[in-house]
Amino acid sequence: MAELKLSRQKTLYISLDLELITAHWGFIYPRVRYKAPFLPRSIHRSARSEELRSGRCCCARDRGSSFEMFKKFSQEEVTAQNQVKASVQRKIRQSVAEEYPELEPVLDDILPKKSPVIVAKCQNHVNLILVNNVPLFFNVRDGPYMPTLRLLHQYPTVMKKLQVDRGAIKFVLAGANIMCPGLTSPGGGLDESVAAEAPVAIMAEGKQHALAIGFTKMSALDIKNINKGIGVDNMHYLNDGLWKTQQLN
């Protein structure tokens, strides 16, 4: 029995049911039952945060900006669109070529020198790179450019890959961030050359194409050795708002 002191000298007793539930993807976590007149929301968040920190779930949904970035994205979230100068366009091309060397031979097809490149500024410091009104790349603040999933499906080998097991697919497609156990479990897969703070394609057991674009919070080796906590932020996934936005007017 855990005792928690509240304001006005009230005491809230929280009873933890130690029954373990096995989630269908193969991980366990305790079911928490609260026996009290009321349960402040902050306490619920605290209990959930402890579960996420402990690594008992393969996906995390309490991360805020990352999984919500494109969850309900629409044209209304674009605050400005500007055609960039030739010098800025060259810097974008250079950054993309450095991040994805395999794209360099086809970069003239993706970002034609004579076609205007538009930068659309969106909420949460997100920038979209558009050519002919089609979103091709995005980044957050001054971070690395990441391809949209539609572009990645055209050039599937340009990004390093991490793989989640079959049971985690529906959680990734709901926008959940990826916990380390979801990558180290049977059916998961790690490319040990992947560094921390790097864009990656999120693959899934038994699926041919990437289902998400992620940004690593730790290196693949740390994901393997630590095996708890969030390994990859889920930036963009199939059927989110950006996927549905094939063109911006």
Side-chain angles (χ1 to χ4, degrees):
M1 184 76 71
E3 180 176 324
L4 181 64
K5 296 291 185 180
L6 300 180
S7 60
R8 299 181 183 177
Q9 305 302 316
K10 292 182 180 179
T11 302
L12 175 66
Y13 292 93
I14 303 175
S15 175
L16 299 181
D17 185 345
L18 298 180
E19 173 192 0
L20 294 179
I21 315 167
T22 302
H24 78 278
W25 61 88
F27 298 95
I28 57 177
Y29 55 93
R31 175 182 292 154
V32 180
R33 293 179 181 171
Y34 302 98
K35 296 181 180 179
F38 64 93
L39 179 65
R41 186 173 299 175
S42 60
I43 298 172
H44 174 75
R45 286 199 299 265
S46 177
R48 175 61 173 157
S49 297
E50 175 58 31
E51 178 183 280
L52 298 178
R53 284 196 298 270
S54 67
R56 288 190 289 263
C57 294
C58 70
C59 294
R61 298 203 46 152
D62 294 344
R63 291 290 300 169
S65 60
S66 58
F67 80 82
E68 292 177 352
M69 187 166 67
F70 293 122
K71 188 177 182 72
K72 297 181 180 180
F73 177 80
S74 66
Q75 177 87 35
E76 287 68 32
E77 293 197 23
V78 177
T79 58
Q81 294 189 48
N82 300 303
Q83 180 176 335
V84 299
K85 298 178 180 179
S87 59
V88 176
Q89 185 173 344
R90 285 194 296 271
K91 288 181 181 179
I92 293 172
R93 289 168 58 92
Q94 181 180 355
S95 297
V96 170
E98 289 175 355
E99 190 71 45
Y100 312 105
E102 287 190 31
L103 278 182
E104 191 167 9
V106 295
L107 210 50
D108 284 340
D109 299 326
I110 298 171
L111 297 171
K113 293 180 180 179
K114 293 185 178 181
S115 295
V117 173
I118 305 297
V119 174
K121 295 186 178 295
C122 311
Q123 297 179 12
N124 299 319
H125 309 285
V126 176
N127 303 303
L128 293 175
I129 305 302
L130 314 176
V131 174
N132 297 323
N133 296 327
V134 177
L136 297 176
F137 297 92
F138 67 93
N139 72 344
V140 182
R141 297 183 188 272
D142 296 323
Y145 290 104
M146 291 171 265
T148 63
L149 275 170
R150 292 186 183 277
L151 183 62
L152 179 62
H153 289 175
Q154 295 179 50
Y155 304 96
T157 63
V158 300
M159 298 186 79
K160 293 186 176 181
K161 300 178 176 66
L162 300 180
Q163 180 170 300
V164 296
D165 66 22
R166 194 182 304 273
I169 293 175
K170 72 175 185 179
F171 298 98
V172 175
L173 294 180
N177 291 325
I178 298 125
M179 303 294 280
C180 295
L183 298 164
T184 60
S185 63
L190 290 171
D191 176 349
E192 294 188 359
S193 68
V194 172
E197 298 186 349
V200 289
I202 303 300
M203 312 301 292
E205 180 184 7
K207 302 298 181 182
Q208 180 181 0
H209 297 293
L211 74 162
I213 303 291
F215 192 73
T216 58
K217 293 185 70 66
M218 59 180 79
S219 69
L221 285 175
D222 283 344
I223 290 173
K224 179 181 178 180
N225 294 329
I226 298 173
N227 201 27
K228 67 178 181 179
I230 296 171
V232 184
D233 278 335
N234 186 352
M235 309 299 290
H236 165 39
Y237 53 92
L238 288 175
N239 212 36
D240 68 4
L242 181 56
W243 173 264
K244 295 176 181 177
T245 306
Q246 298 188 38
Q247 286 194 329
L248 282 174
N249 298 324

